[in-house]
């Protein structure tokens, strides 16, 4: 697609701010998990850019796995959460860091936390790049939070709008 066919997107969080915050989160995680074997689980698809940057900011041995979740149709939640692809390894007894792009209503994370708990990990913490507290329907304990944003639909840095715009290097708000 040529760039002039793309919807205009206003920058909300620019590349420099993203990389500075991800470096801070990586340093915190490195401190907190020192001496513990860590399993980082990326929630697909939206977390893949954040996860790629975050794991490189964590100076610890780790395993990386992914879980595919589908909860959105178009631009707003359908409320239906489905596992579209599962973990490749058991997490029993492991310290898990769940990496998510955004916690919006919290329903996806609530479902995932309950699902992962049945697999008996030693611990589960959450790293979320973005949180929209104004839309929360359930309270999710986010241990590593990148940025708190308002009630606006955002795209880029892994987040999509109807499957598109994930590859923008910044987080932005599409002009509608
Ligand atoms: P929740 O279940 O409402 O917390 O939604 C979580 C998922 O919805 C996230 O992992 C995203 O994939 C998607 N989502 C929520 N808000 C946005 C947004 O503003 N832009 C793009 N995707 C979003």
């Amino acid at each position: 697609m040529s760039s002039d066919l793309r919807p205009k997107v206003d920058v909300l969080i620019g590349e420099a701010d993203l990389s500075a915050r991800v470096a801070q989160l990586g340093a915190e995680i490195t401190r907190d998990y020192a001496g513990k074997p860590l399993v980082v689980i990326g929630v697909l698809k939206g977390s893949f850019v954040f996860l790629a940057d975050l794991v490189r900011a964590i100076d610890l041995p780790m395993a990386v796995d992914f879980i595919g979740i589908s909860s959105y149709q178009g631009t707003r939640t359908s409320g239906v959460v489905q596992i579209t692809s599962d973990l490749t390894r058991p997490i029993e007894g492991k310290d898990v860091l769940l990496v998510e792009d955004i916690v919006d209503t919290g329903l996806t994370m609530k479902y995932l936390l309950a699902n992962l708990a049945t697999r008996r990990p030693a611990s589960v913490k959450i790293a979320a790049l973005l949180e929209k507290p104004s839309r929360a329907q359930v309270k999710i304990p986010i241990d590593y939070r990148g940025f708190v944003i308002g009630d606006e639909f955002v795209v880029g840095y892994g987040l999509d709008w109807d499957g598109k715009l994930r590859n923008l290097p910044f987080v932005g708000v599409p002009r509608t």
Side-chain angles (χ1 to χ4, degrees):
M1 190 194 310
S2 79
S3 58
D4 51 358
L5 291 177
R6 281 195 197 145
K8 290 266 181 291
V9 178
D10 294 319
V11 176
L12 182 66
I13 308 168
E15 288 179 70
D17 290 336
L18 285 167
S19 82
R21 187 72 189 116
V22 170
Q24 285 172 346
L25 294 176
E28 266 180 57
I29 293 165
T30 303
R31 266 199 314 275
D32 294 353
Y33 283 90
K36 288 187 187 173
L38 175 61
V39 180
V40 175
I41 297 180
V43 183
L44 293 174
K45 298 176 185 166
S47 75
F48 79 104
V49 177
F50 174 44
L51 180 133
D53 285 344
L54 185 65
V55 292
R56 285 177 289 175
I58 300 173
D59 186 15
L60 292 173
M62 68 172 71
V64 178
D65 207 344
F66 295 95
I67 191 160
I69 286 281
S70 141
S71 60
Y72 267 60
Q73 305 279 329
T75 56
R76 285 292 182 188
T77 186
S78 62
V80 178
V81 180
Q82 236 185 336
I83 291 188
T84 53
S85 72
D86 207 351
L87 301 176
T88 59
R89 298 266 173 90
I91 53 168
E92 185 165 358
K94 309 276 188 191
D95 290 301
V96 168
L97 180 65
L98 202 50
V99 178
E100 176 64 304
D101 53 354
I102 184 166
V103 176
D104 183 16
T105 63
L107 295 173
T108 304
M109 268 295 145
K110 183 183 172 206
Y111 171 85
L112 258 185
L113 288 173
N115 181 290
L116 294 185
T118 66
R119 309 178 197 209
R120 304 207 245 174
S123 68
V124 179
K125 285 191 179 184
I126 297 174
L129 178 70
L130 304 171
E131 184 186 18
K132 276 189 209 172
S134 58
R135 293 199 11 105
Q137 291 182 27
V138 284
K139 181 80 197 129
I140 299 297
I142 301 176
D143 303 281
Y144 306 99
R145 177 189 293 94
F147 302 88
V148 172
I149 62 169
D151 180 7
E152 49 211 339
F153 192 82
V154 291
V155 296
Y157 201 68
L159 291 120
D160 73 308
W161 184 16
D162 230 354
K164 301 183 193 74
L165 299 172
R166 292 191 197 275
N167 59 322
L168 292 176
F170 56 86
V171 173
V173 180
R175 275 188 221 166
T176 48

